[in-house]
């Protein structure tokens, strides 16, 4: 079984400042890791994913996350946030070959003008 | 591709009434998931179908909840009778099981309010 901990439920940050959203997971097997974003009144959209290979993965809108196996973490970062990044972000883990996605509780990112 | 389609987007009903939520997965996807999202419990998996067959329904909270997938392009989640504590956002998601990852594609959700 897998579990995901998102350490911060809310993160306020000023526009153009950097941000890090933390995610730790536990699993006894190899994992796939995901970050999803949920804008107000919308469904979840995949932001980026780690399956294998390079531990640093990037999204098209400037976010990146690094898989750290020794620390069982998959933190999400962006060097300069924009107002439009205001949303809730969910970290998720899946055992390789498993159908299940286990989600964290989510982190609400609020970008302040 | 239209993505995962859910209807209705909003549903307000009175306690005791039957509620039916509908989902059309992405064409070609052979796995379908129903989730419930609440402030208190976050995202919970209710049921998982593979090739139209229910594989894991351990997340269905009570017998009042039932789900069907009569064909590859349609699924329903029914609550009968509904109760105020069923108020939540219900998401449907689909996946191509033959893909390299477990990436799921979510619909926009149905916001259910039971009064």
């Amino acid at each position: 079984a897998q579990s995901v901990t998102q350490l911060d439920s809310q993160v306020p940050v000023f526009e153009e400042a950097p941000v890090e959203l933390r995610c730790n997971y536990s699993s006894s097997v190899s994992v796939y890791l995901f970050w999803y974003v949920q804008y107000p009144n919308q469904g979840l959209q995949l932001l980026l994913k780690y399956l294998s290979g390079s531990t640093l993965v990037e999204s098209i809108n400037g976010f990146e996350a690094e898989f750290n196996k020794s620390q069982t973490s998959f933190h999400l970062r962006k060097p300069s946030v924009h107002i439009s990044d205001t949303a809730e972000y969910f970290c998720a883990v899946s055992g390789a070959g498993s159908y299940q996605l286990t989600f964290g509780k989510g982190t609400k990112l609020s970008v302040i003008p | 591709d239209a993505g995962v389609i859910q209807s209705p987007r909003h549903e307000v009903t009175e306690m005791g009434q039957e509620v039916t939520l509908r989902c059309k997965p992405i064409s070609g996807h052979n796995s379908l998931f129903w989730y419930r999202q609440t402030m208190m419990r976050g995202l919970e998996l209710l049921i998982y179908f593979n090739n139209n067959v229910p594989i894991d329904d351990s997340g269905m909270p009570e017998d009042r909840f039932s789900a069907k997938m009569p064909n590859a392009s349609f699924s329903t989640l029914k609550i009968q009778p509904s109760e105020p504590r069923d108020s939540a956002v219900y998401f449907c998601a689909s996946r191509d099981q033959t893909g390299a990852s477990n990436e799921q594609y979510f619909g926009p959700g149905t916001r259910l309010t039971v009064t």
Side-chain angles (χ1 to χ4, degrees):
Chain A
Q2 291 83 39
S3 67
V4 177
T5 302
Q6 291 184 245
L7 297 165
D8 305 299
S9 60
Q10 297 188 29
V11 173
V13 63
F14 286 103
E15 192 174 15
E16 297 184 3
V19 69
E20 178 180 82
L21 307 183
R22 296 179 292 170
C23 172
N24 288 89
Y25 69 93
S26 67
S27 176
S28 58
V29 299
S30 297
V31 295
Y32 298 151
L33 292 157
F34 306 82
W35 276 100
Y36 280 81
V37 58
Q38 184 179 28
Y39 298 103
N41 300 313
Q42 294 187 27
L44 279 72
Q45 304 172 29
L46 182 69
L47 188 60
L48 46 77
K49 62 186 177 185
Y50 169 79
L51 305 181
S52 64
S54 173
T55 57
L56 185 66
V57 290
E58 298 177 352
S59 72
I60 59 173
N61 58 353
F63 283 94
E64 64 179 30
E66 185 161 18
F67 170 56
N68 188 319
K69 187 175 182 179
S70 62
Q71 297 188 8
T72 60
S73 67
F74 192 55
H75 301 331
L76 181 69
R77 303 184 183 94
K78 188 171 185 179
S80 176
V81 294
H82 189 267
I83 294 290
S84 60
D85 294 324
T86 294
E88 189 160 15
Y89 293 79
F90 293 88
C91 182
V93 63
S94 171
S98 169
Y99 66 86
Q100 277 198 322
L101 268 181
T102 300
F103 287 88
K105 295 286 190 185
T107 298
K108 290 185 178 178
L109 173 63
S110 299
V111 180
I112 306 162
Chain B
D1 194 326
V4 176
I5 298 172
Q6 291 186 247
S7 64
R9 291 295 310 277
H10 302 273
E11 177 80 33
V12 181
T13 191
E14 293 183 347
M15 183 174 63
Q17 297 298 306
E18 177 180 295
V19 175
T20 300
L21 310 181
R22 297 173 176 79
C23 175
K24 177 178 169 56
I26 292 173
S27 177
H29 283 191
N30 52 8
S31 295
L32 185 139
F33 306 79
W34 281 101
Y35 289 88
R36 179 172 66 178
Q37 184 180 40
T38 61
M39 291 287 290
M40 291 296 295
R41 302 171 70 94
L43 266 167
E44 303 172 277
L45 176 65
L46 300 178
I47 188 167
Y48 158 59
F49 289 89
N50 191 47
N51 292 323
N52 313 338
V53 176
I55 303 299
D56 181 1
D57 64 356
S58 60
M60 296 286 264
E62 302 171 34
D63 291 344
R64 299 184 296 107
F65 285 70
S66 63
K68 294 182 180 179
M69 193 165 185
N71 57 61
S73 59
F74 183 66
S75 177
T76 59
L77 178 67
K78 185 178 293 186
I79 309 172
Q80 165 65 16
S82 58
E83 296 183 3
R85 59 195 169 116
D86 302 330
S87 297
V89 182
Y90 291 81
F91 289 104
C92 176
S94 70
R95 176 180 75 120
D96 176 6
Q97 189 193 12
T98 61
S101 74
N102 195 13
E103 179 178 338
Q104 295 179 21
Y105 294 81
F106 283 74
T110 296
R111 183 174 296 275
L112 174 64
T113 303
V114 183
T115 60

